[in-house]
Amino acid sequence: MAGWQTRLTSVLPRDIASRLARERGLTTVGELLRFLPRRFLDATGDLGSLHEGDYVVFPGTVTQASTRQPRPVPGRKPRTMLNATVRSGEHTLALTFFSAYPHVNVLVPGARGLFAGEVSRYRGTWQLAHPVYELGTGDAGPGEDGPDPVRERPLLPSWKISRAVEMVLDAADLPDPVPPDIVAARHLPDFATAWRRAHLPRDLGERAAAIRRLKYDEALLIQLVLAQRRREQDDAPAVPRTPPPGGLLASFDARLPFELTAGQREVGEQIAADLGQSHPMNRLLQGDVGSGKTVVALRAMLAVIDAGGQAALLAPTEVLAQQHYRSLLELLGPLAEGGMLTGAGQGTRVVLLSGGESAGARKKALLAAASGEAGIVVGTHALLSGNVAFADLGLVVVDEQHRFGVEQRDALRSKARHSPHMLVMTATPIPRTVAMTVFGDMDTCVLRELPAGRSPIQTAIVDNARWYQRAWERVAEEAAAGRQAYVVAPRIGDDESASGDDGFEEAAGWSPAADARGPQAGDLPGDGDAGAAGNGPGAPMRGVLEMHATLQANPVLAGLRIGLLHGRLPAEVKDATMSDFAAGKIDVLVSTTVIEVGVDVPNATVMVIMDADRFGISQLHQLRGRVGRGSHGGLCLLVTRDPGEAARERLEAVAATTDGFALARHDLLSRREGDILGVRQSGRGSGLEMLRLTGREDERILAQARQDATALIAADPRLDRHPDLARMLASRLDERQAGYLQMG
């Protein structure tokens, strides 16, 4: 009997097996079975709405056929053409064969069959030139025992592939890898039946049940890998980090000028419980922009310091690292002036490690980290270099995790003597389905409410000349009231190659959250050209250099202090510019997307985003979150010039709500989930075969599979008692894909 890995040459006629291998790359039983039809025909096939170049497959009946001899061409043998007409339901199509033999003897009026080919237009009539077809016998047309499958432009006709599938299924031995009690509890068809009904159903309802089983299998494989990962983490030794009473954490809480939200307290308790375990915490903290994740993370870091350890905070850009460094110093005040990492009441040190530091400052920071004098080390990818050492790294906090590759996160984790606790933060809300699939090995917690005192943000689309000028008047009005504004452009505009650090400090790897939103401005290393995210030709994108000069010359803004910030500026210039803006010495900051996350200037109340149609939903939401962080309301103006339909839909979605989780789901529905099992940062391919994370049904399937995988691994960690399931796991999820899941 043929198994999943059996070669097709052993179960199919050699010519069919050779064509499947040559034309489709299908060489084994498993590969052929996973080549599922993209849809099934109804009674009228694909003829309801035709476009030039469409590939159609349809059942039909020949209504007329005739031959003719075209004008002879000198030097060529005379030939006979065949023209036929086929009716399918209410529609008719012309068939043209430039050589009538052998079709003239079989394509006669009354002949019924399946026809397939590329549609073209000839003298006002839809036609197929030299289509492939297969006629039925007697009065029964092909496919009358069930719907006819259709595959995209097959070189072998769909019906021949289906016949090959039927031969394989008849010869295959496909034991069910999923335990029978799970199959029964989830009301699933058995494994072999599911594959047969997915290819050769008697009706579409039968196929839907089969597809649900195949989706479940894929979800189970992913969740098994993640369950094994969780089991390994639980078995790995970690130092419990329970703070003694009266230490840094208590002192910090006592000096907080505001009250923690209920969500912050709840998440803090979850993190504290994790830190007290003897196995490493691995927690994802999601929070919409402005929800107070930094305070939650700082409290976790102080708890670890109280317990004798150190914490590292990894940020994706120098600007964000500098911002975190300043924010921590401000929040801690005198508590950041400690000389030694000796625990309660003695304070601690916060140091910064980034590529822009001077040699002397870097040397001092390295020494403070290695000696344990620094309880908190903030840095960019510079933290990952080989000469960075810690005395006792107990907690790794990764901010904006989608900006780092899995290898980079693991490189920092490997610097600890014992497995450190890991807290991953993201301000890009991730729909539950994506989080369950990509971060299934993490405990996930969410901050949804905003701290007290946060003001609402209004968002408006500016897309005509009149309102464009009014946008700058609003900026001037806010500046006259003593407040500040951001102006964001999608590129630098100096005609240099994109090589700064605005999007990343270095090329990052796999990006689940970025995958969920698709390619956008700033997603690639440096101040990139965001044109790929735009829709429609439009005008050239405006850069920050152009906007800076334009605004300086705008009489409405006369007298205002206008600053400039982008990734190619020297680190000390970027830091000085952000410091001046935070101190109120700059009224309007013209910037690329370096200010997308983490930047906190409560006095900034207006953001103008130029060429907003070139950005994706999540990035617009992130940028907008930089305003309205104080006691005054925020205003975000989305400036666009002739956006395409899809781009306008994105802008209208952002303007309609400030709920990041609602926007994340909208983004997922429009862009799909991206390559969650690989490294592509695009929404065009997911790495998933059956599951689609945009569906509520698939979300339920994932939740069921997670529950079942957890129970299976708890009882049988290596799946020794389930060899068929272990084999399917090894064959269906290759080492590369499993590696990305395991390192996530």
Side-chain angles (χ1 to χ4, degrees), residues 373-686:
E373 180 183 353
I376 300 176
V377 182
V378 181
T380 60
H381 68 289
L383 284 178
L384 309 177
S385 60
N387 62 344
V388 177
F390 294 87
D392 185 9
L393 181 59
L395 172 65
V396 174
V397 179
V398 182
D399 192 19
E400 287 307 305
Q401 56 79 30
H402 62 274
R403 297 294 186 94
F404 294 95
V406 288
E407 295 90 347
Q408 294 168 309
R409 297 198 296 271
D410 274 12
L412 183 54
R413 187 157 36 192
S414 68
K415 292 181 178 292
R417 289 182 298 175
H418 305 283
S419 296
H421 300 282
M422 174 75 73
L423 178 64
V424 171
M425 301 191 299
T426 180
T428 302
I430 304 169
R432 180 170 177 263
T433 45
V434 176
M436 282 169 49
T437 307
V438 177
F439 300 106
D441 61 333
M442 285 183 157
D443 296 309
T444 302
C445 52
V446 178
L447 287 174
R448 289 186 179 270
E449 62 181 311
L450 297 181
R454 280 295 171 90
S455 301
I457 303 174
Q458 293 182 319
T459 305
I461 301 171
V462 179
D463 60 357
N464 62 53
R466 174 191 170 197
W467 293 113
Y468 180 76
Q469 183 60 22
R470 176 60 185 144
W472 305 121
E473 292 173 359
R474 284 292 290 117
V475 169
E477 290 165 5
E478 289 296 302
R483 295 185 281 273
Q484 296 162 277
Y486 296 98
V487 176
V488 178
R491 59 192 296 267
I492 296 177
D494 55 4
D495 296 327
E496 297 178 18
S497 60
S499 60
D501 71 349
D502 283 11
F504 286 99
E505 296 264 341
E506 63 180 273
W510 172 48
S511 165
D515 281 334
R517 59 187 180 154
Q520 301 172 37
D523 268 359
L524 299 180
D527 281 311
D529 184 331
N535 288 273
M541 288 184 297
R542 286 166 283 205
V544 292
L545 299 180
E546 172 195 350
M547 288 306 304
H548 185 255
T550 299
L551 297 185
Q552 284 182 318
N554 191 328
V556 172
L557 305 177
L560 296 187
R561 298 162 294 179
I562 302 175
L564 176 67
L565 183 66
H566 59 76
R568 293 196 199 119
L569 294 171
E572 60 272 15
V573 175
K574 288 187 287 188
D575 187 34
T577 301
M578 277 308 305
S579 296
D580 286 347
F581 188 63
K585 298 178 182 179
I586 293 174
D587 300 308
V588 180
L589 181 61
V590 183
S591 174
T592 56
T593 56
V594 309
I595 52 92
E596 177 186 352
V597 289
V599 176
D600 188 7
V601 180
N603 195 47
T605 55
V606 180
M607 172 169 287
V608 182
I609 303 177
M610 309 303 299
D611 297 312
D613 53 291
R614 304 302 180 100
F615 297 90
I617 288 175
S618 293
Q619 195 165 36
L620 290 172
H621 181 58
Q622 293 284 2
L623 289 167
R624 173 174 61 183
R626 299 310 103 206
V627 297
R629 303 177 73 86
S631 57
H632 299 286
L635 174 64
C636 180
L637 301 176
L638 307 176
V639 179
T640 179
R641 297 175 289 183
D642 191 27
E645 182 179 347
R648 175 162 288 279
E649 183 182 345
R650 290 202 305 273
L651 298 182
E652 290 174 348
V654 173
T657 182
T658 56
D659 183 341
F661 288 88
L663 290 173
R665 176 159 288 280
H666 185 286
D667 213 9
L668 180 64
L669 290 171
S670 62
R671 291 179 180 268
R672 288 182 53 186
E673 58 271 8
D675 186 13
I676 69 163
L677 300 181
V679 298
R680 290 194 306 272
Q681 296 190 23
S682 166
R684 298 182 184 277
S686 73

Side-chain angles (χ1 to χ4, degrees), residues 174-205:
L174 301 176
D176 201 324
V178 179
D181 56 329
I182 293 179
V183 173
R186 299 303 182 195
H187 305 289
L188 301 170
D190 67 73
F191 190 65
T193 299
W195 284 108
R196 182 175 293 276
R197 292 178 179 175
H199 283 275
L200 306 168
R202 290 171 295 189
D203 57 64
L204 296 183

Side-chain angles (χ1 to χ4, degrees), residues 349 351-354 356-368:
R349 287 272 311 282
V351 298
L352 176 67
L353 268 174
S354 68
E357 300 300 300
S358 66
R362 181 178 177 79
K363 185 175 181 180
K364 289 181 180 179
L366 288 171
L367 181 60

